[in-house]
Amino acid sequence: MNRRQSDRHPTGTPTLIDVAKVAGVSPITVSRALGRPELVTDATRRRVLAAVRTTGYVPNLAAGSLAGRRSRLMAIFLPTIANSIFADTVQALTDRLAEAGYQTLLGLTGYCPEQEQALLEAVLGRRPDGIVLTGTEHTQASRDCLARVGIPVVEAWDLCERPLDMLVGFSHEAVGRAVARYLLSKGYRRVSVVSIDDPRGLRRCCSLIEAMAEQGADPIAMEVLPAPATVAVGRQGFCRLLERNAAGDVVVCSSDTVAQGVLAEAASRGLSVPEHLAVMGFGDLSSAAHSHPTLTTVRVDGARIGRTIAEALLARIAEPGQARAPLRLDVGFELIVRDST
Amino acid sequence: MNRRQSDRHPTGTPTLIDVAKVAGVSPITVSRALGRPELVTDATRRRVLAAVRTTGYVPNLAAGSLAGRRSRLMAIFLPTIANSIFADTVQALTDRLAEAGYQTLLGLTGYCPEQEQALLEAVLGRRPDGIVLTGTEHTQASRDCLARVGIPVVEAWDLCERPLDMLVGFSHEAVGRAVARYLLSKGYRRVSVVSIDDPRGLRRCCSLIEAMAEQGADPIAMEVLPAPATVAVGRQGFCRLLERNAAGDVVVCSSDTVAQGVLAEAASRGLSVPEHLAVMGFGDLSSAAHSHPTLTTVRVDGARIGRTIAEALLARIAEPGQARAPLRLDVGFELIVRDST
DNA sequence: CTGTTAGCGCATTCAG
DNA sequence: CTGAATGCGCTAACAG
């Protein structure tokens, strides 16, 4: 007895077949009316849509993934969502993908390549049509995995020589150097750093330190605290710098959220910014510190990164040509100076 | 010619059958060795695992969803991820779910029930095993949809009389009243509010205003700005209050991030907190303002909410009994007083 | 403990 | 423009 579930449980989740019966057409016509309306008469499409409504049919995307070749699923891996500087990127990205009929599988990697790898192996079972990774630091197993499956991959928020596939970001070394150049031009020579333990943040800092050293500035005191970036991290890092008597003329922070903490602590100690002490941040538009009158910061256009990633992925998926056009986009950054000097 | 893809494309993605051939067992044994190891001999399991390794097999979860009854997918809907007060909740939730073999489908609703509904209809096609919604405000269509599919639903970060299914949150009205009680006890009578346009934030504020009015306090000035909550919102809202000369003795903010903006603006204008002006916030542990020495705030244990949700979902899925045990948990909140008075 | 059989719900061939 | 056949890769049910 080859009885379908829909026969057995008339009250169960309706399938294409149920809709087809109600509409008086074949199942495939229903499929087409829904997925490629241009291949179907207006009249039949309307009948199908009516049947969909009366049955309460919701297409089973797992079946669709299996039969077709697309899952309409996009995986996005972030280090964390806490006070994330990726907020604008993710919002823009998911908005565009949702618009294109894609759903978003979220993975939180905790700044840890091994965790990323574990997540990746799990998520690839879902056969996503593309994947967005934060950063360019991955285990060899992850690289092999991604090379094997051959889906479009975007590495975001960083730049590197040999990307896995596509790359949309900016140079964290360039950020560090730009900050150094700015600080030197302003006459700051005693610089300190508060950073979370995040590879990109640390690279910005190292690059800053290196550039300052080259110009003969004083050695830079650095406080590194565990992720995620919170205001508390900024406060605590700044306190430690003060205890060491090492805060200098300017505190450079790994993110705007951390900078907020430094500003708060400074205010509570009666240190005025930027007169007694300057503070620098880093982040995107919706990030904590923008529009702060006394905080100079490096702004990244996160939303643009998100939109760019979405378009790159969708374009790659649309074209049948498997040739990986090596998109490698440096979106750059912008120094936003906000002090009275 | 019933040739399987794995026959046609020896280089294509390996399937269960490929693994079975290599291991010298039947496909179902591979399936069991991977999914329910306890049903299989140690020896055969090892052979299967070795074969998995050599083939590079990754189970196709779409096929699994279709054949089995579980998708191992959980949908999580948030208003936004920008400066989210849900960060701790999401982190704890996804951590626990990942541990249990679940993957997370992310939906961003933008505080909009209609957008939530559209997302819901799309996501239900993926047949998630459960779904987590933020808040209790949903369209009737969403409610009907969820009632029909019958999967476990958790509404988070709020309380209401008739939840869809399970509920883990706290009363925003109670928060408003607690803040009112505290402010009155401290002798504040001239209160102002800066809030984003978020249903729960507004309910906290309304409840505060009502409670203050009952006690004969002055009318409360309110500035409501569009979501998402940013530091800029706090600055701008506070500026407007000052322009109206309506900031009073204490500014109550819809979130810690907003409070940060108020604090920053106050500092830049030389207003000392809490002497000239007190500021109140709201948020979870990792939120912007905690550990601020001069900010009194309402703390919510977001991580606990996340863990509770995860356990509730997993328990409901584990038990075959479809009876919806109406979990309705008030996790409460905590007033953290940080001022010198 | 292992294998056999029979679909899960849909989309891609091909025909008409 | 519509329909019929077929199988995507896997697991549930039953046998052995």
Side-chain angles (χ1 to χ4, degrees):
Chain A
M1 301 291 264
N2 291 352
R3 294 163 65 83
R4 312 184 61 87
Q5 187 188 353
S6 40
D7 298 333
R8 289 198 305 269
H9 311 285
T11 58
T13 311
T15 75
L16 215 51
I17 295 180
D18 301 312
V19 179
K21 279 180 195 154
V22 172
V25 296
S26 81
I28 186 60
T29 300
V30 177
S31 172
R32 286 202 269 250
L34 263 30
R36 311 168 74 186
E38 70 276 12
L39 297 183
V40 147
T41 311
D42 245 38
T44 61
R45 200 187 61 222
R46 256 193 297 276
R47 299 223 332 268
V48 168
L49 290 179
V52 166
R53 238 168 273 269
T54 67
T55 53
Y57 170 68
V58 178
N60 185 324
L61 267 22
S65 300
L66 195 57
R69 37 181 148 277
R70 299 185 325 257
S71 64
R72 293 203 163 285
L73 222 39
M74 214 65 90
I76 302 184
F77 284 8
L78 302 175
T80 162
I81 76 161
N83 289 309
S84 174
I85 52 177
F86 311 112
D88 284 2
T89 298
V90 174
Q91 185 75 55
L93 180 53
T94 57
D95 282 357
R96 180 67 188 96
L97 291 178
E99 195 184 299
Y102 276 84
Q103 282 162 29
T104 301
L105 221 38
L106 178 71
L108 265 24
T109 65
Y111 294 102
C112 169
E114 283 71 30
Q115 202 173 329
E116 179 184 82
Q117 179 185 330
L119 257 169
L120 184 63
E121 283 162 3
V123 157
L124 286 181
R126 213 61 74 172
R127 304 290 186 266
D129 292 342
I131 184 164
V132 180
L133 305 175
T134 303
T136 57
E137 205 179 299
H138 320 289
T139 67
Q140 190 56 44
S142 293
R143 291 171 182 285
D144 296 343
C145 234
L146 288 169
R148 200 146 16 83
V149 300
I151 57 174
V153 180
V154 177
E155 293 167 278
W157 274 78
D158 205 344
L159 244 39
C160 69
E161 282 309 307
R162 300 213 318 122
L164 288 164
D165 180 13
M166 297 181 281
L167 189 61
V168 182
F170 55 92
S171 163
H172 294 263
E173 282 73 20
V175 171
R177 286 191 300 269
V179 170
R181 209 175 312 126
Y182 166 75
L183 294 177
L184 288 166
S185 80
K186 286 291 178 181
Y188 294 111
R189 306 202 66 81
R190 296 167 52 230
V191 178
S192 65
V193 165
V194 178
S195 176
I196 61 161
D197 184 16
D198 144 45
R200 285 169 295 283
L202 292 178
R203 275 168 45 216
R204 292 192 294 274
C205 294
C206 288
S207 162
L208 162 70
I209 291 171
E210 203 172 287
M212 294 297 288
E214 277 172 10
Q215 300 301 316
D218 291 7
I220 291 182
M222 191 161 170
E223 285 291 338
V224 178
L225 285 92
T230 62
V231 172
V233 162
R235 298 178 58 79
Q236 195 175 355
F238 185 48
C239 287
R240 289 190 192 166
L241 287 174
L242 292 174
E243 281 165 19
R244 293 163 56 188
N245 202 19
D249 310 316
V250 54
V251 183
V252 177
C253 302
S254 62
S255 77
D256 286 341
T257 303
V258 172
Q260 284 292 332
V262 174
L263 289 171
E265 185 64 32
S268 84
R269 296 188 180 220
L271 298 169
S272 67
V273 176
E275 291 77 22
H276 291 163
L277 179 87
V279 180
M280 285 212 51
F282 174 85
D284 69 16
L285 247 186
S286 77
S287 188
H290 286 290
S291 87
H292 193 104
T294 58
L295 180 66
T296 292
T297 181
V298 174
R299 187 179 87 83
V300 176
D301 191 344
R304 187 182 156 209
I305 295 181
R307 285 192 304 268
T308 306
I309 294 171
E311 295 309 335
L313 286 171
L314 293 171
R316 172 68 58 83
I317 288 160
E319 69 175 71
Q322 301 288 7
R324 293 186 152 185
L327 170 70
R328 192 162 167 290
L329 181 65
D330 185 346
V331 298
F333 54 88
E334 198 180 339
L335 198 67
I336 303 194
V337 177
R338 289 245 178 63
D339 61 20
S340 23
T341 57
Chain B
M1 300 290 265
N2 291 351
R3 294 164 65 83
R4 312 185 62 87
Q5 185 188 356
S6 41
D7 298 333
R8 291 197 304 267
H9 310 285
T11 58
T13 312
T15 76
L16 214 51
I17 295 180
D18 301 312
V19 180
K21 280 180 193 153
V22 172
V25 295
S26 80
I28 186 65
T29 300
V30 176
S31 171
R32 287 201 269 249
L34 262 31
R36 312 166 75 185
E38 70 277 13
L39 297 183
V40 146
T41 310
D42 244 38
T44 61
R45 200 187 63 222
R46 255 193 298 277
R47 298 219 339 263
V48 168
L49 291 179
V52 166
R53 237 168 273 269
T54 68
T55 54
Y57 171 68
V58 178
N60 185 324
L61 267 22
S65 299
L66 195 56
R69 36 181 149 277
R70 299 183 325 255
S71 63
R72 294 204 162 284
L73 223 38
M74 214 66 90
I76 303 183
F77 284 8
L78 302 175
T80 161
I81 76 161
N83 290 309
S84 173
I85 53 176
F86 311 112
D88 284 3
T89 298
V90 175
Q91 185 75 53
L93 180 54
T94 57
D95 281 357
R96 180 68 188 95
L97 291 178
E99 194 184 300
Y102 276 84
Q103 282 162 30
T104 300
L105 222 37
L106 178 69
L108 265 25
T109 65
Y111 294 104
C112 169
E114 282 71 31
Q115 202 173 329
E116 179 185 81
Q117 179 186 328
L119 258 169
L120 184 63
E121 283 161 4
V123 157
L124 286 181
R126 213 62 74 172
R127 304 291 187 264
D129 293 342
I131 183 163
V132 181
L133 305 175
T134 303
T136 57
E137 205 179 299
H138 320 290
T139 68
Q140 190 56 44
S142 293
R143 292 171 182 284
D144 297 344
C145 234
L146 288 169
R148 198 146 18 83
V149 300
I151 58 174
V153 179
V154 178
E155 292 167 279
W157 275 79
D158 206 344
L159 244 39
C160 69
E161 283 308 307
R162 300 213 320 121
L164 288 165
D165 180 13
M166 297 180 281
L167 188 61
V168 183
F170 55 92
S171 163
H172 294 263
E173 281 74 19
V175 170
R177 287 192 300 269
V179 170
R181 209 175 313 127
Y182 166 75
L183 294 177
L184 288 166
S185 80
K186 286 292 180 179
Y188 294 111
R189 305 202 66 80
R190 297 167 51 230
V191 178
S192 64
V193 166
V194 178
S195 176
I196 61 161
D197 184 15
D198 146 45
R200 286 168 294 284
L202 292 177
R203 276 169 44 216
R204 291 192 294 274
C205 294
C206 289
S207 162
L208 162 70
I209 290 171
E210 204 172 286
M212 295 296 287
E214 279 171 11
Q215 301 300 316
D218 291 7
I220 291 181
M222 193 160 168
E223 284 293 337
V224 177
L225 286 92
T230 62
V231 173
V233 162
R235 298 177 59 77
Q236 194 175 355
F238 185 48
C239 286
R240 289 191 192 165
L241 287 174
L242 291 174
E243 280 164 20
R244 293 163 55 190
N245 201 20
D249 310 315
V250 55
V251 183
V252 177
C253 302
S254 62
S255 77
D256 286 342
T257 304
V258 172
Q260 284 291 335
V262 173
L263 289 171
E265 185 63 33
S268 84
R269 296 188 180 220
L271 298 169
S272 68
V273 175
E275 293 77 22
H276 292 164
L277 179 88
V279 180
M280 285 211 52
F282 173 85
D284 70 16
L285 247 186
S286 77
S287 187
H290 287 290
S291 88
H292 193 104
T294 59
L295 180 67
T296 292
T297 181
V298 174
R299 187 181 87 84
V300 176
D301 191 343
R304 187 181 156 210
I305 295 181
R307 284 192 305 268
T308 306
I309 294 171
E311 296 308 335
L313 286 171
L314 293 172
R316 172 69 56 84
I317 289 160
E319 69 177 69
Q322 301 287 7
R324 293 187 153 186
L327 170 70
R328 192 161 169 291
L329 181 64
D330 185 346
V331 298
F333 53 88
E334 198 181 340
L335 197 66
I336 303 194
V337 178
R338 289 246 179 62
D339 60 20
S340 21
T341 57

